[in-house]
Amino acid sequence: MDLRLPSKVLEHIFSFVDSNEDRNSVSLVCKSWFETERLTRKRVFVRNCYAVTPAAVARRFPEMRSLTLKGKPHFADYNLVPDGWGGYTWPWIEAMAEKNPSLEELRLKRMVVTDECLEKIAASFKEFKVLVLTSCEGFSTDGLAAIAVACSNLRELELRECIVEDLGGDWLSYFPETLTSLVSLDFSCLDSEVKLSDLERLVSRSPNLKSLKLNRAVSLDALGSLLRLAPQLVELGTGSFSDKLSQEAVSKLSQVFTELKELKSLSGLWDVLPEYIPLLYSVCPGLTSLNLSYATVQMSDLVELLSRCSKLQKLWVMDLIEDKGLEAVASSCKELRELRVFPSGADVDETNVALTEQGLVSVSEGCPNLESVLYFCAQFTNAALVTIARNRPNLKCFRLCVMEPFAPDHKTQKPLDEGFKAIVESCKDLQRLSVSGLLTDKAFEYIGTHGKKLKMLSIAFAGDSDLMLHHLLSGCESLNKLEIRDCPFGDTALLENAAKLETMRSLWMSSCCVSFGACKLLSQKMPKLNVEVIDEHLPETRPDSSPVEKIYIYRTHAGPRLDIPEFVWTMHKNPEIGVSNLAIE
């Protein structure tokens, strides 16, 4: 008796399965589920553009409408990945244009996107609706103009933290007068002034516009004009908040803010002047997200602002908030789920703000829903970490950056081992962790023992020996992504745990003690891994014993990539170098 469900029934059931992880699990059940799942999947997420070929993705998912791609390693955000390393979008656009011309949405992160890519998108996908570029580079406003003029159904155009060759603000004029579908527009990373009349016309004919994020060149006066045309906004990123306005203009702008009844998210506020902060008071009670990471607001003004944000769930802010400001968050923002505190100065010695571990302790005590933390500060203690772990066992993401490398507990001068032990021991659902400060191998033994759900781990300036890496790779069974820099481990731990690397998505190492010979052996013995040795200062000779500058190891079904630059070595690119006599256990 055939007990298999009919394909139409499976299709209906699978239509309720949204997450990428669940869809992947569904596809592994049996051949019929795999086939039904691949033919019905509309949204595809590729976390490493070199893990699979564009042709394979296009072939497997013929009904794909939305594609999300990630390119360069995460440490590219910290300028550790050299220019020209890769992450090129063109092969993907070419493959999709040929096999998936019905593609409607494209979201790219840390990818190289050229104007030719954008022109190809505009010409190939007739129903194209969504383009979101995050930390991308390689294109200009001419490419944006090509998207604007050809994509008549565009709903979202978002440029987040991109490096764009800004050739002027007239690209907005290329949007046709017939375009009325825009829901989200973000050009906050551009430098040049846009023509206000072009922007006003676009906003006025977009009745469904919910998110508008402006660049720094948009003045306060222009902001008022735009908000009068779009009182329905849910997300707003302002331009500069530093223009000198007359009292009458300030009064009118204040009235405009009171009309933003649906506003939930606020960002921007570049160069905000203290006298203009009260303009925001009327929208504070409805805010669930506030991003002040570019706003140099002093602590006293922040307290006045945040005390009115009772529904806030996400807060990004500079360390100018200080401990007292975070105490105000703890007492006023009871629904807070995510907190990020960024440094206001380029160097720890240049920051003269009263932000310590106590600020985060206060938030952990006062905000019961807190589950995600990124915290830059100059000092920390084991006692504070223990208290945070006890207060917030529901933490899923904890990223602590003590800005002075190898900084011990500033009260006891001991390593922070016991503090991080408390974090991984108490926070059973912790999935992402970044550690810093003075840490010995003991801390990583704790992480390996207790971090069973940990998926991403970032480490800098820590550990004593190879044991550190051994504890992590042998203990963290759910680990997908490991990033390590300036740590004293070498070949032994890497080679002894080589099999674990095939279960992970990637491992990044820089300024460690791994030899070139170990990289060669790992590459030969583990064919499902791409092992890339990155060295911008190409040596004339490279003996097996020589240390490598940077290594990027990642799992792939695509084999060796074809766009390897000169400063990247791989076994496939340089097979004549041969393999050392080291052994993998």
Side-chain angles (χ1 to χ4, degrees), residues 14 33 82 161 178 368 375 378 383 395 494 577:
F14 291 172
W33 282 39
E161 306 289 340
T178 54
Y375 199 76
L395 282 172
L494 181 66
I577 293 181

Side-chain angles (χ1 to χ4, degrees), residues 404-420:
E404 185 68 34
F406 309 110
D409 180 316
H410 73 94
K411 291 184 178 179
T412 67
Q413 300 305 305
K414 293 183 177 180
L416 294 173
D417 297 351
E418 295 302 316
F420 279 104

Side-chain angles (χ1 to χ4, degrees), residues 18 44 65 92 96 215 240 254 274 333 342 349 384 396 405 424 427 465-466 485 515 517 572 580:
D18 293 324
V44 176
R65 297 292 182 269
W92 287 89
M96 296 304 117
N215 70 348
S240 173
S254 178
C333 308
F342 300 96
D349 296 327
K396 295 180 180 178
V424 294
C427 305
S465 68
D466 276 349
R485 58 169 296 189
S515 73
H572 306 284
S580 70

Side-chain angles (χ1 to χ4, degrees), residues 499-573:
K500 171 65 176 177
L501 299 178
E502 285 195 339
T503 71
M504 294 169 53
R505 191 176 305 131
S506 66
L507 168 63
W508 169 276
M509 299 176 287
S510 57
S511 301
C512 296
C513 300
V514 177
S515 73
F516 182 55
C519 295
K520 290 195 296 182
L521 182 61
L522 185 65
S523 180
Q524 185 199 45
K525 296 294 186 180
M526 310 302 286
K528 294 181 182 179
L529 299 177
N530 274 357
V531 180
E532 299 190 3
V533 175
I534 304 171
D535 193 342
E536 295 175 88
H537 310 96
L538 292 173
E540 292 185 8
T541 61
R542 202 196 298 261
D544 281 0
S545 59
S546 63
V548 297
E549 184 179 329
K550 299 169 184 174
I551 320 161
Y552 184 42
I553 304 169
Y554 55 92
R555 185 181 62 206
T556 179
H557 297 286
R561 62 186 177 110
L562 303 178
D563 57 3
I564 299 174
E566 183 180 344
F567 56 78
V568 172
W569 174 92
T570 69
M571 178 62 71
H572 306 284
K573 177 183 173 185

